[in-house]
Amino acid sequence: MKIALQRILLFITVLAGLGSCAHRGIEKTSIYANTKGASDVDTIADVPYKTVDDSMLRLDIYSLKNDTTTQRPVLVYIHGGSWIGGNKSWIWSNYRQALTESFLRAHYTVISIDYRLADGKRRNVSTELTDCRDALAWIYRHAYKYHLDIHRMGLWGTSAGAHLSLVIGSEPEDSVRVRFILDDYGPTDLNRLFRTDLSPFSVSLVKIVKPGLVHERELMLRIFPNDNTTRLSPINRIHKDMPPVLISHGDADKLVPVKQAYELEKQLKANNIPYLLRIYHGEKHGLRTLTIPQVSDLTKCALSFAARYNR
């Protein structure tokens, strides 16, 4: 009787813990209605930056119409979508539209990139990181043509895109120096998120009643093969030369729990990296229900942070 009760308690504990790790639809297109920027936004859409496997990867370049600034700082947006979905047009969804337009009116050029999505077979997170790095290299090479000051460049990522931004920003060997990172509800500890500590027995218990959940976890582990859940966890990559990081997270986030933000804060503080942590009370993943004053606060904070460090 005692052994049976222990197994039941273990099952309940494992099921509760695994429920937050599988990223069921972190950012779905059905939730985010794609829109366009304001009438004073100039768009150069679908610019090819790379051809691979007979497919072309593209980016969108946004600036303020009639902006006479000769060299504009750059903000590069990397979309989210659980590493398996999403596209560059999501930059215009919800609060992101306000943030994008605020940077444009501060005379930035904002560039939103697509990348090959992971499938856990031929393409994994390394594919995505390669594409993002190649997009940055393309921006560097074409800076003169588009009036870009590549010495003042920041990364902005949401969800999985924030994870990619943090990983790229942690690589001092990259030829393109990133001055700051806007991390919106990004995963920072993949081992905790995917519960890599679970034993095969524990996983088998969950599979009895939640086979789909276990399948999604297995997909995530294929996207991060071998030791990549450790090696590519941002909390394990923080070093003294990291760019400053602005973290925005909702404390009701069940897909990427807010503890992930606090863990990143802990590592940034330990390495004396400038950072700012903004927690939005009651907000779930995606910050989709921010009020107008909260959106205003978020954009002002991001602009101030960029102005301080993007010099």
Side-chain angles (χ1 to χ4, degrees):
M1 179 68 178
K2 183 178 180 180
I3 294 176
L5 181 59
Q6 288 176 337
R7 288 183 175 179
I8 292 171
L9 291 174
L10 174 63
F11 174 74
I12 293 172
T13 302
V14 169
L15 186 59
L18 192 59
S20 66
C21 82
H23 289 273
R24 288 165 293 179
I26 278 187
E27 291 186 319
K28 293 183 178 179
T29 306
S30 59
I31 294 176
Y32 293 99
N34 295 326
T35 60
K36 296 181 180 179
S39 59
D40 61 347
V41 174
D42 191 21
T43 303
I44 305 175
D46 295 324
V47 179
Y49 74 85
K50 179 179 179 178
T51 301
V52 60
D53 297 332
D54 297 323
S55 63
M56 197 168 288
L57 297 177
R58 303 175 185 272
L59 51 81
D60 296 335
I61 304 173
Y62 301 102
S63 59
L64 201 62
K65 283 185 178 179
N66 303 316
D67 192 340
T68 59
T69 307
T70 55
Q71 279 196 312
R72 295 186 287 268
V74 185
L75 181 65
V76 179
Y77 175 71
I78 304 178
H79 69 79
S82 304
W83 301 276
I84 59 173
N87 62 71
K88 57 185 170 59
S89 69
W90 285 9
I91 193 172
W92 295 112
S93 303
N94 298 334
Y95 76 92
R96 281 166 279 186
Q97 178 164 352
L99 185 56
T100 300
E101 292 178 355
S102 293
F103 270 88
L104 293 175
R105 294 190 175 96
H107 304 288
Y108 270 73
T109 291
V110 180
I111 301 177
S112 184
I113 68 174
D114 268 340
Y115 51 87
R116 286 172 292 169
L117 302 174
D119 58 10
K121 298 175 184 178
R122 296 178 57 201
R123 300 185 299 274
N124 57 33
V125 69
S126 296
T127 307
E128 300 180 331
L129 288 167
T130 297
D131 290 345
C132 292
R133 294 187 191 104
D134 287 344
L136 294 181
W138 183 96
I139 293 168
Y140 188 94
R141 293 194 305 272
H142 293 82
Y144 179 80
K145 179 178 180 179
Y146 295 102
H147 308 287
L148 309 177
D149 183 354
I150 47 83
H151 299 294
R152 293 189 293 157
M153 179 183 295
L155 294 181
W156 170 29
T158 53
S159 194
H163 165 265
L164 297 174
S165 298
L166 288 166
V167 172
I168 292 170
S170 70
E171 297 173 340
E173 68 274 12
D174 274 7
S175 59
V176 179
R177 175 67 175 170
V178 175
R179 297 292 180 181
F180 68 93
I181 299 172
L182 305 182
D183 160 27
D184 290 3
Y185 40 93
T188 64
D189 183 350
L190 301 176
N191 285 310
R192 182 181 293 272
L193 195 65
F194 302 149
R195 293 300 304 273
T196 58
D197 61 324
L198 290 180
S199 67
F201 174 71
S202 299
V203 175
S204 68
L205 287 178
V206 177
K207 194 171 184 178
I208 296 172
V209 294
K210 292 285 186 180
L213 195 62
V214 173
H215 172 74
E216 290 168 4
R217 175 178 180 269
E218 290 171 350
L219 173 59
M220 290 297 110
L221 294 179
R222 290 198 301 272
I223 290 172
F224 290 88
N226 304 320
D227 65 339
N228 280 346
T229 52
T230 298
R231 188 174 64 85
L232 296 179
S233 284
I235 63 166
N236 298 327
R237 301 174 64 87
I238 305 303
H239 54 83
K240 64 181 181 63
D241 295 320
M242 275 280 295
V245 182
L246 171 59
I247 310 167
S248 300
H249 216 110
D251 65 4
D253 193 332
K254 294 182 179 180
L255 291 172
V256 179
V258 70
K259 188 171 183 179
Q260 298 263 321
Y262 290 127
E263 288 297 319
L264 179 60
E265 177 192 32
K266 179 180 177 181
Q267 294 303 319
L268 292 170
K269 184 182 294 185
N271 286 272
N272 296 315
I273 306 302
Y275 76 92
L276 184 60
L277 174 62
R278 304 286 289 183
I279 301 299
Y280 293 90
H281 179 65
E283 282 297 314
K284 298 180 181 179
H285 197 75
L287 304 180
R288 295 193 294 267
T289 59
L290 291 174
T291 64
I292 292 176
Q294 285 177 318
V295 171
S296 177
D297 171 78
L298 186 150
T299 57
K300 289 178 181 178
C301 186
L303 284 171
S304 175
F305 192 84
R308 182 173 183 180
Y309 297 109
N310 198 21
R311 314 185 264 190

